[in-house]
Amino acid sequence: MAIERTLSIIKPDATRRNLTGKINAKFEEAGLRIIAQKRIRLSLEQAGKFYEVHAARPFYGELCEFMASEPVVVQVLEGEGAVLKNREVMGATNPANAAEGTIRKEYALSMGENSVHGSDAPETAAVEIAFFFSGLELVG
């Protein structure tokens, strides 16, 4: 597999409960490297722009409000097949369907407050990474 980069977001429900280190340990144990990271507070407008692909869906407004409610940690993960590896480590969106040992199985509070976001494809990852990071901030 090729070395890839993917965006990871540790969401407000997880930062509020001080789970950043535990979540990042799971990524690192799976062979992913954190090559860029920052803790930020999204505005409602920024959250709306980031998630605009979901604008027509009924959960869009609630998602944007949630993502702007408290700080998040945005980061870039790098490794072999990073997009798929990250999605495996995160687990299914619905924590009830997530495999044992995954982030969402262990830490998600609900389907909406599911602790993490990850890019769904290499093309999406490139766009999402550029939303939060300049090339100078990627230090692999």
Side-chain angles (χ1 to χ4, degrees):
M1 275 193 159
I3 299 294
E4 294 177 338
R5 291 178 174 172
T6 189
L7 183 80
S8 166
I9 301 176
I10 301 176
K11 294 181 177 182
D13 63 291
T15 62
R16 179 178 62 244
R17 294 177 291 142
N18 205 28
L19 297 174
T20 302
K22 290 178 180 179
I23 289 170
N24 282 337
K26 288 191 171 286
F27 293 135
E28 291 176 334
E29 288 165 9
L32 295 168
R33 292 180 59 224
I34 300 166
I35 65 164
Q37 181 183 69
K38 54 188 165 186
R39 184 180 179 97
I40 61 173
R41 178 87 183 245
L42 291 169
S43 69
L44 191 55
E45 183 179 38
Q46 290 166 325
K49 180 73 174 154
F50 182 75
Y51 284 108
E52 73 182 350
V53 66
H54 299 301
R57 296 194 167 157
F59 60 81
Y60 174 72
E62 186 178 336
L63 173 62
C64 293
E65 288 178 19
F66 168 62
M67 291 301 290
S69 68
E70 295 187 52
V72 297
V73 173
V74 293
Q75 53 195 12
V76 180
L77 306 177
E78 182 179 76
E80 285 192 31
V83 172
L84 182 57
K85 176 75 73 180
N86 179 35
R87 296 189 71 76
E88 289 171 0
V89 173
M90 289 190 308
T93 303
N94 184 342
N97 300 331
E100 290 298 325
T102 62
I103 293 167
R104 289 176 173 152
K105 187 66 165 187
E106 291 187 20
Y107 302 122
L109 299 174
S110 66
M111 195 155 138
E113 292 184 308
N114 61 17
S115 300
V116 285
H117 163 91
S119 304
D120 62 3
E123 300 78 18
T124 310
V127 171
E128 290 183 345
I129 289 167
F131 186 89
F132 291 107
F133 295 95
S134 75
L136 293 174
E137 295 175 293
L138 305 175
V139 288

